[in-house]
Amino acid sequence: MWRILLADDHGIYRKGLHLALQRAFPDADLLTADSLPTILSTVEENPDLDLLIIDLHMPHRIPIEGLCDLSANCRNIHLVALSASEAATDILECLACGFHGYISKLQTDEEIIAGIEDVLAGKIYVTPRLALTKGLASWREMVKATESSRSQVIRLTNRQRDVLALLARGKSNKEIARELAIAEATVKIHAAAVIRVLGATNRASAALYAQQWLERKE
């Protein structure tokens, strides 16, 4: 029996999707949450959850650091992002952080259920609209690259991800130190660790990697 947590702060949408899940998985134990604190407490109280479906805008957009932290703390749970956005950058951001699926709120109930079934079967699922716009070949390459790279992102500490995000914005060590309120020598240590973990050859290539995978949409 599947144990599924549906998290969305919009009551009407949450109730509608809950009904669709009940029809598709009549034997499943379905839980709901309407806030991030409720999500965290429910996950802590139910370590045997199989799936967490989470709206990315609860009540505001969850930052990239929050997504990676959530993924790191829910290693035994399949994670599916739920969003009205179909931007490739948003989708790749979630997959790079370790999410197993990305569902668009613009999809039909049937498409959403099919995507959830794929994730529960151990596959990575993304709204087919992206696959259609990118083309099948490039889409396969994208998924392959995502699967091989997301573990590297998760391996970074919170502070290293902070440094990486600022590297992607072209910040110098001095600027990063000032923004994060840490010593410049500490920034150098974190930057070196980031380069090593990502397998980058230098600071510039690490910044390029960050722009591709971690740059948050403004």
Side-chain angles (χ1 to χ4, degrees), residues 2-210:
W2 298 117
R3 301 203 73 206
I4 301 173
L5 173 57
L6 170 60
D8 194 307
D9 63 321
H10 293 91
I12 294 178
Y13 187 88
R14 185 178 66 250
K15 292 175 183 176
L17 184 53
H18 186 271
L19 289 174
L21 290 171
Q22 282 184 321
R23 290 194 296 267
F25 307 101
D27 297 326
D29 182 11
L30 301 177
L31 307 174
T32 59
D34 59 3
S35 68
L36 287 174
T38 305
I39 293 172
L40 297 177
S41 62
T42 303
V43 169
E44 184 176 355
E45 295 168 2
N46 299 272
D48 57 344
L49 281 174
D50 297 296
L51 176 67
L52 167 58
I53 307 170
I54 180 172
D55 178 13
L56 296 184
H57 301 265
M58 292 184 58
H60 306 293
R61 178 177 174 78
I62 303 174
I64 180 65
E65 295 85 356
L67 292 177
C68 290
D69 287 343
L70 180 63
S71 176
N73 292 329
C74 299
R75 293 187 181 276
N76 297 322
I77 304 174
H78 290 84
L79 299 176
V80 172
L82 189 62
S83 175
S85 170
E86 294 180 346
T89 52
D90 290 338
I91 296 172
L92 290 174
E93 185 175 90
C94 288
L95 296 182
C97 279
F99 275 60
H100 304 85
Y102 190 103
I103 289 175
S104 167
K105 287 190 173 183
L106 302 180
Q107 292 179 252
T108 65
D109 288 353
E110 291 75 16
E111 289 174 329
I112 292 175
I113 295 303
I116 292 173
E117 289 175 338
D118 277 355
V119 171
L120 289 173
K123 302 177 182 178
I124 289 180
Y125 175 84
V126 171
T127 169
R129 289 176 173 81
L130 180 67
L132 291 174
T133 57
K134 292 292 182 180
L136 184 59
S138 60
W139 166 241
R140 285 175 174 167
E141 293 173 0
M142 187 183 300
V143 170
K144 183 178 180 180
T146 296
E147 290 177 322
S148 63
S149 302
R150 66 183 183 183
S151 61
Q152 294 173 311
V153 177
I154 294 174
R155 286 172 58 195
L156 298 177
T157 66
N158 290 340
R159 183 58 80 191
Q160 287 169 351
R161 287 197 291 267
D162 290 339
V163 171
L164 180 60
L166 293 172
L167 282 176
R169 291 161 54 186
K171 299 285 186 178
S172 67
N173 286 343
K174 183 177 294 185
E175 290 172 325
I176 294 174
R178 184 165 54 248
E179 186 157 340
L180 297 180
I182 58 178
E184 187 173 348
T186 303
V187 173
K188 293 179 180 179
I189 293 173
H190 285 313
V194 167
I195 291 172
R196 183 177 65 255
V197 171
L198 296 182
T201 55
N202 51 42
R203 182 188 181 96
S205 59
L208 182 62
Y209 181 98

